C-alpha cells in the first residue's frame, strides 16, 4: 500500500541513483501502479522523474542510475486517490517547486483539501492524496518558515493515516512523520534514511530507530531529532541493532517468486519448528493468556483470516480453547463490544501493518485493557509494537504478492500452539500430534513432488473451460477452501468462490451444469458429509475434483481425486493447500499473467 524511502548524505554522490534503486526494489510489494524518484543537489537544483507502470521499466526509461545528489526520495504507489497517471505519481512538487514530498497511507479529506488549496492559489496538479500532504506542509511553511512548526500545523488539517517524507531545496535535511502508517529510521555512518519498509533499510544499516505514531523527525546525514508532532516536545528514541535476517530476493532457477516460495514451504516449516522449540517460554506466556481469557478473538484479513479459520479449528479441537475467527474489518461493527481485561485479541497478519487489523487494536489500546497477541511475519512492524506477546511465523521474505509460505507457517504456528496447549492439559490427541510435528516438512516436500504435474493438468482444464468456479470445504477444510479460492481469484483473475460445502445447496447449486468445475479440498475423516455434498453436485453433472489423501469413498463419489500423501486429519489443511496454490499458479501462467504481481493489489494494505 505505497512505500516511501528518503535518504540523505553529507554531499552530492554519484551513488544516489543506485541507492534509490536498491531502496525502491524493496518497496515493490507495497504497490506497483507507479514509481517516482526525486533528488536534491547541493547547488540547489532538483530532479523529479516518475510515471505509471512497473518499477524496472521506470528505472530504465528514466535513467535513474544516473541520479546524483545528496538527498533522494522514492515512492512506489498503490492507487487509492486519483488514477495511476503521471500527475498522480509520487513524489510531488509543491506549487513553486522548492519542496518535494511523498507519502504512504491515505488522506481521507483529499477532495476538500484540493478545493481549499486551489482557492488559496496553490498549484494543485493532480488528484492524489499524497500531493495534499505536500501542499499542507507548503501552506504552513510559507507562513512560518520553519519545517517543524509547518508540519505540526499541517497535520491538523490532514485527516487519515500516513507516513510522509519531504525536503526543501535549500535546507540540507529531510523531514519525516509517522502518523498511523509504517515508518522506520536507519542510522548509518555516512547517511540517515527513513522508509516504510524495514528490509529496505537493513540492506544499508542495521542501526534502527523504531519510530512511533506521532513522531516528527528532522534528519540530516549525521544527526536526527524526533519531536512529538502534537506538542513539539523533543523525544528520545534509542538506536537499536536489528538482528532480523534479511534474505535477498533471488529466483534461483524458478520463473516466478510464487513458485519459489511454494517450494520453500518445507524448509520454512522446518525452521519455524526449530524456532518454536527454542522459544517455548513465549508460547507458555501466550497459552497462559488464552487459557485464562473469557473470549479469544482471532482477528485478521484475507489469507491471514483463512489461517485464523483453520487456527480456530485447531485451538478448539486440540486444546479445548474456544477461539473465534473474526474478519478484522467486521470486528468493531459486528461485535460492538468493548473487550475486557479478560479478553484476548489475537491478531494474525503477515505484514504486521494491515490497517483493518490496526483499526481493531487502536481503540482497545486507548479504552480497554484487553490483551493483544500477534502472529506476524515481520517483527518490528506496527502490530508487533502494539502487542504484549508476539509469535514470529518466520517465513522469511515473501516477495510474491500472493501469500503462500507465510500462510503455511501461520497454519503451522497455530498447529504448534494448539498441540502444545493441549499437551499441557494432558489431552491425548494433542500430545500425539505434537510429537509428530517434526514430520511435517517431509510430508510437505512429498506433497509438492507428488501433486505438481496433476495440479498443472487441473489448471489446464480450468483455463480451457474458462468459466468461474467454486472451491468448497467442510469442517477442518473450510479455511483451505477460502484460501484456495482467494489464490485462484488473485492470480488468475477468474471468479472462484470459497464456500462451506453444506451451504452450496442453499442457492449456488443452480449454477451447476455439465462439467461445471468445483474444487473440493477434503479430509477422509469428514466423509459422511463430504460424500453427500459431492453427490448433490455430481447428479447434476458437475465436475467435482476432490483434493485429499487417497480414499475409496471419495474416489467413488468424485469426478476425480488429486491425491496428497496420506497423513493425520490435522495435517491435511497443510498438504491440500499446496495443490490449490499450484493450480492457481499454473492457471495464471496459462492465462499469460504474472502471478507475482497481480493487477490492482498490494502486499501491505495500510488503508481502510
Ligand atoms: C493474499 C494476501 C492478502 C493478505 C491480506 C492481509 O495472498 O496476501 O489477502 O493476507 O491483505 O494481509 P496481512 O496478512 O499482511 O495482514
Amino acid at each position: 500500500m505505497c512505500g516511501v524511502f528518503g535518504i540523505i548524505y553529507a554531499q552530492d554522490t554519484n551513488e544516489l541513483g543506485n541507492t534509490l534503486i536498491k531502496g525502491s526494489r524493496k518497496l515493490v510489494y507495497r504497490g506497483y501502479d507507479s514509481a517516482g524518484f526525486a533528488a536534491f543537489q547541493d547547488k540547489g537544483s532538483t530532479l523529479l522523474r516518475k510515471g505509471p507502470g512497473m518499477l524496472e521499466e521506470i528505472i530504465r526509461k528514466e535513467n535513474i542510475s544516473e541520479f546524483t545528489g545528496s538527498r533522494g526520495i522514492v515512492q512506489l504507489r498503490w492507487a487509492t486517490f486519483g488514477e495511476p497517471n503521471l500527475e498522480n505519481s509520487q513524489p510531488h512538487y509543491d506549487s513553486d517547486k522548492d519542496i518535494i514530498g511523498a507519502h504512504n497511507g491515505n488522506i481521507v479529506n483529499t477532495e476538500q483539501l484540493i478545493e481549499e488549496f486551489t482557492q488559496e492559489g496553490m498549484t494543485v496538479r493532480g488528484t492524489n492524496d499524497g500531493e495534499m500532504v505536500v501542499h499542507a506542509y507548503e501552506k504552513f511553511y510559507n507562513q512560518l518558515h520553519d519545517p517543524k512548526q509547518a508540519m505540526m500545523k499541517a497535520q491538523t488539517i490532514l485527516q487519515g493515516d500516513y507516513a510522509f517524507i519531504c525536503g526543501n531545496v535549500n535546507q540540507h535535511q529531510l523531514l519525516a512523520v509517522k502518523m498511523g502508517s509504517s515508518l522506520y529510521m536507519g542510522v548509518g555512518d555516512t547517511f540517515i534514511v527513513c522508509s516504510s519498509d524495514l528490509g529496505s533499510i537493513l540492506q544499508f544499516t542495521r542501526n534502527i530507530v523504531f519510530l512511533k505514531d506521532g513522531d516528527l523527525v528532522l534528519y540530516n546525514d549525521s544527526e536526527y531529532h524526533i519531536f512529538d508532532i502534537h506538542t513539539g516536545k523533543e523525544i528520545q528514541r534509542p538506536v537499536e541493532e536489528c538482528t532480523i535476517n534479511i534474505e535477498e530476493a533471488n529466483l534461483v532457477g524458478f520463473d516466478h517468486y510464487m513458485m519459489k516460495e511454494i517450494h520453500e514451504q518445507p524448509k520454512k516449516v522446518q525452521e519455524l519448528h526449530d524456532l518454536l522449540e527454542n522459544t517455548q517460554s513465549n508460547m507458555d506466556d501466550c497459552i497462559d493468556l488464552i487459557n485464562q481469557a473469557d473470549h479469544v478473538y482471532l482477528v485478521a484479513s484475507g489469507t491471514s483470516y483463512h489461517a485464523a479459520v483453520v487456527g480456530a479449528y485447531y485451538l478448539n479441537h486440540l486444546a479445548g480453547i474456544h477461539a473465534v475467527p473474526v474478519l478484522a474489518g467486521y470486528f468493531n461493527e459486528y461485535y460492538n463490544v468493548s473487550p475486557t481485561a479478560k479478553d484476548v485479541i489475537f491478531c494474525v497478519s503477515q505484514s504486521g501493518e494491515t490497517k483493518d487489523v490496526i483499526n481493531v487494536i487502536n481503540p482497545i489500546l486507548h479504552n480497554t485493557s484487553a490483551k493483544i497477541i500477534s502472529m506476524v511475519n515481520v517483527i518490528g512492524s506496527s502490530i508487533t509494537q502494539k502487542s504484549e506477546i508476539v509469535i514470529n511465523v518466520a517465513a522469511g521474505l515473501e516477495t510474491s504478492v500472493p501469500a503462500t509460505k507465510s500462510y503455511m507457517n501461520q497454519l503451522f504456528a497455530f498447529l504448534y500452539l494448539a498441540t502444545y496447549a493441549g499437551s499441557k492439559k494432558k489431552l491425548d490427541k494433542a500430545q500425539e500430534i505434537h510429537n509428530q510435528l517434526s514430520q511435517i516438512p517431509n510430508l510437505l516436500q512429498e506433497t509438492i513432488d507428488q501433486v505438481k504435474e496433476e495440479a498443472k493438468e487441473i489448471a489446464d482444464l480450468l483455463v480451457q473451460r474458462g468459466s468461474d468456479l467454486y472451491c468448497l470445504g467442510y469442517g477442518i477444510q473450510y479455511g483451505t477452501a477460502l484460501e484456495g479460492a482467494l489464490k485462484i481469484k488473485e492470480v488468475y483473475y477468474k471468479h472462484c468462490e470459497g464456500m462451506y460445502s453444506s451451504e452450496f445447496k442453499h442457492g449456488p447449486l443452480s449454477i451447476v451444469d455439465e462439467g461445471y468445475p468445483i474444487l473440493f479440498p477434503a479430509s477422509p475423516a469428514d466423509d459422511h458429509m463430504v460424500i453427500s455434498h459431492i453427490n448433490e453436485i455430481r447428479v447434476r453433472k458437475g465436475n467435482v475434483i476432490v483434493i485429499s489423501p487417497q480414499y475409496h469413498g471419495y474416489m467413488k463419489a468424485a469426478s476425480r481425486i488429486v491425491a496428497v500423501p496420506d497423513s493425520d486429519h490435522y495435517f491435511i489443511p497443510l498438504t491440500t493447500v499446496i495443490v490449490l496454490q499450484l493450480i492457481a499458479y499454473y492457471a495464471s501462467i496459462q492465462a499469460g499473467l504474472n502471478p507475482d504481481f497481480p493487477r490492482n493489489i498490494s502486499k501491505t494494505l495500510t488503508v481502510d
Side-chain angles (χ1 to χ4, degrees):
M1 175 63 35
C2 298
V4 60
F5 174 99
I7 192 160
I8 179 163
Y9 293 95
Q11 59 204 26
D12 283 357
T13 160
N14 292 336
E15 270 313 294
L16 186 69
N18 286 330
T19 304
L20 295 179
I21 290 171
K22 263 181 104 172
S24 68
R25 286 190 173 133
K26 294 277 181 193
L27 300 177
V28 178
Y29 72 93
R30 303 180 72 93
Y32 35 87
D33 286 328
S34 67
F37 293 80
F40 299 82
Q41 291 155 336
D42 280 350
K43 56 185 189 296
S45 56
T46 58
L47 284 170
L48 176 58
R49 294 186 194 158
K50 59 182 185 173
M54 297 300 276
L55 176 68
E56 295 303 328
E57 192 186 306
I58 290 159
I59 291 175
R60 208 175 39 251
K61 226 170 58 192
E62 303 292 347
N63 292 326
I64 303 301
S65 59
E66 290 171 4
F67 265 41
T68 59
S70 59
R71 293 174 282 158
I73 299 175
V74 182
Q75 205 267 11
L76 273 286
R77 178 164 184 247
W78 185 81
T80 41
F81 285 87
E83 65 179 82
N85 58 25
L86 177 65
E87 287 73 32
N88 290 330
S89 303
Q90 300 201 45
H92 296 286
Y93 277 122
D94 73 331
S95 302
D96 46 15
K97 299 196 172 178
D98 54 10
I99 296 168
I100 303 178
H103 94 322
N104 149 35
N106 68 6
I107 305 299
V108 293
N109 58 334
T110 288
E111 302 290 332
Q112 298 95 290
L113 290 173
I114 292 179
E115 232 178 277
E116 188 183 316
F117 294 149
T118 309
Q119 272 168 19
E120 288 172 12
M122 293 187 206
T123 309
V124 178
R125 300 178 182 88
T127 49
N128 170 246
D129 56 340
E131 188 180 344
M132 298 315 120
V133 192
V134 178
H135 291 307
Y137 175 74
E138 167 191 6
K139 171 178 169 141
F140 294 106
Y141 185 80
N142 288 345
Q143 291 168 17
L144 302 163
H145 306 290
D146 177 88
K148 175 183 147 196
Q149 298 295 336
M151 194 65 225
M152 286 174 66
K153 278 280 200 190
Q155 65 84 21
T156 63
I157 62 167
L158 296 166
Q159 293 168 17
D161 291 302
Y162 56 95
F164 176 62
I165 303 179
C166 77
N168 287 39
V169 172
N170 297 315
Q171 291 158 0
H172 182 72
Q173 70 176 8
L174 290 173
L175 174 151
V177 291
K178 173 166 164 50
M179 294 292 286
S181 292
S182 63
L183 194 72
Y184 304 86
M185 179 160 60
V187 182
D189 292 340
T190 57
F191 63 86
I192 297 183
V193 56
C194 283
S195 172
S196 325
D197 176 80
L198 183 59
S200 68
I201 299 179
L202 291 177
Q203 56 187 340
F204 300 108
T205 176
R206 292 201 159 264
N207 297 330
I208 303 295
V209 179
F210 290 92
L211 298 170
K212 298 233 173 350
D213 286 338
D215 283 359
L216 185 167
V217 192
L218 292 175
Y219 63 106
N220 62 28
D221 53 282
S222 58
E223 59 174 21
Y224 62 88
H225 295 276
I226 305 175
F227 304 94
D228 180 320
I229 200 164
H230 305 289
T231 64
K233 255 182 76 185
E234 185 152 4
I235 303 165
Q236 302 302 325
R237 298 223 184 281
V239 178
E240 298 175 43
E241 195 194 339
C242 182
T243 53
I244 294 172
N245 180 25
I246 48 158
E247 294 151 85
E248 277 304 314
N250 193 335
L251 282 168
V252 290
F254 290 95
D255 290 338
H256 299 93
Y257 288 105
M258 183 176 176
M259 195 55 151
K260 177 189 173 224
E261 288 158 5
I262 290 171
H263 279 78
E264 279 173 1
Q265 292 178 121
K267 179 168 167 263
K268 289 295 161 190
V269 166
Q270 177 68 61
E271 288 169 9
L272 178 58
H273 182 253
D274 297 346
L275 177 74
L276 295 175
E277 290 284 277
N278 290 320
T279 50
Q280 277 187 343
S281 64
N282 192 44
M283 279 282 160
D284 290 332
D285 294 344
C286 178
I287 289 165
D288 286 349
L289 275 192
I290 57 183
N291 271 335
Q292 288 161 24
D294 286 344
H295 302 100
V296 179
Y297 299 106
L298 307 182
V299 176
S301 300
T303 287
S304 295
Y305 172 73
H306 306 154
V309 170
V310 182
Y313 184 98
Y314 287 155
L315 288 166
N316 281 285
H317 284 251
L318 291 164
I321 293 166
H322 184 59
V324 186
V326 191
L327 281 170
Y330 196 47
F331 186 87
N332 291 335
E333 286 305 310
Y334 183 72
Y335 277 79
N336 194 26
V337 289
S338 256
T340 70
K342 290 210 71 192
D343 292 337
V344 167
I345 306 298
F346 192 126
C347 302
V348 189
S349 171
Q350 178 276 130
S351 63
E353 299 292 348
T354 298
K355 182 71 183 340
D356 291 312
V357 179
I358 292 176
N359 285 347
V360 174
I361 302 179
N362 278 347
I364 290 169
L365 289 176
H366 291 129
N367 305 326
T368 85
S369 44
K371 307 289 182 287
I372 298 172
I373 297 177
S374 58
M375 180 186 280
V376 295
N377 195 34
V378 183
I379 299 298
S381 55
S382 301
I383 292 174
T384 63
Q385 290 181 21
K386 296 166 194 275
S387 304
E388 228 165 277
I389 296 175
V390 176
I391 298 173
N392 179 5
V393 302
L397 175 71
E398 197 171 54
T399 302
S400 176
V401 168
T404 52
K405 61 177 178 168
S406 61
Y407 175 78
M408 181 64 75
N409 274 25
Q410 286 169 340
L411 291 195
F412 186 82
F414 271 122
L415 187 55
Y416 191 99
L417 177 66
T419 53
Y420 185 54
S423 302
K424 288 176 81 154
K425 290 181 179 170
K426 305 258 178 292
L427 300 174
D428 289 346
K429 188 67 190 171
Q431 279 174 333
E432 179 196 325
I433 304 275
H434 197 74
N435 292 335
Q436 292 174 23
L437 292 181
S438 60
Q439 299 169 11
I440 291 186
N442 280 343
L443 179 69
L444 300 184
Q445 187 58 55
E446 232 182 284
T447 306
I448 295 173
D449 298 341
Q450 184 169 317
V451 303
K452 222 156 126 184
E453 282 311 308
E454 219 177 340
K456 201 166 175 202
E457 275 173 38
I458 305 288
D460 288 352
L461 196 142
L462 295 180
V463 174
Q464 264 166 34
R465 166 134 180 146
S467 71
D468 47 28
L469 65 153
Y470 272 81
C471 189
L472 303 182
Y474 181 84
I476 196 171
Q477 288 289 55
Y478 179 43
T480 312
L482 294 176
E483 177 56 9
L486 174 60
K487 285 289 92 88
I488 288 168
K489 282 188 281 252
E490 189 176 13
V491 301
Y492 172 47
Y493 307 172
K494 283 275 184 272
H495 186 69
C496 178
E497 191 164 342
M499 185 172 280
Y500 202 75
S501 61
S502 55
E503 281 296 297
F504 195 65
K505 59 185 174 290
H506 296 291
L509 190 54
S510 66
I511 207 164
V512 171
D513 57 10
E514 188 160 356
Y516 186 84
I518 311 263
L519 301 174
F520 205 146
S523 164
D526 293 325
D527 62 350
H528 57 298
M529 282 295 182
V530 171
I531 288 177
S532 296
H533 298 159
I534 296 173
N535 284 341
E536 285 157 13
I537 302 164
R538 288 278 286 142
V539 295
R540 289 161 179 93
K541 299 194 167 45
N543 182 10
V544 183
I545 300 161
V546 168
I547 303 162
S548 146
Q550 202 66 267
Y551 173 61
H552 64 93
Y554 294 160
M555 283 157 73
K556 266 181 75 185
S559 321
R560 174 173 187 163
I561 177 164
V562 179
V564 295
D566 202 13
S567 74
D568 189 279
H569 169 69
Y570 290 96
F571 300 163
I572 292 176
L574 292 88
T575 54
T576 48
V577 79
I578 292 178
V579 181
L580 293 164
Q581 292 169 342
L582 287 167
I583 291 174
Y585 172 81
Y586 286 123
S588 178
I589 301 299
Q590 281 289 330
L593 303 169
N594 179 353
D596 285 341
F597 297 107
R599 70 181 175 206
N600 303 338
I601 59 169
S602 156
K603 198 161 182 66
T604 306
L605 285 160
T606 56
V607 294
D608 289 316

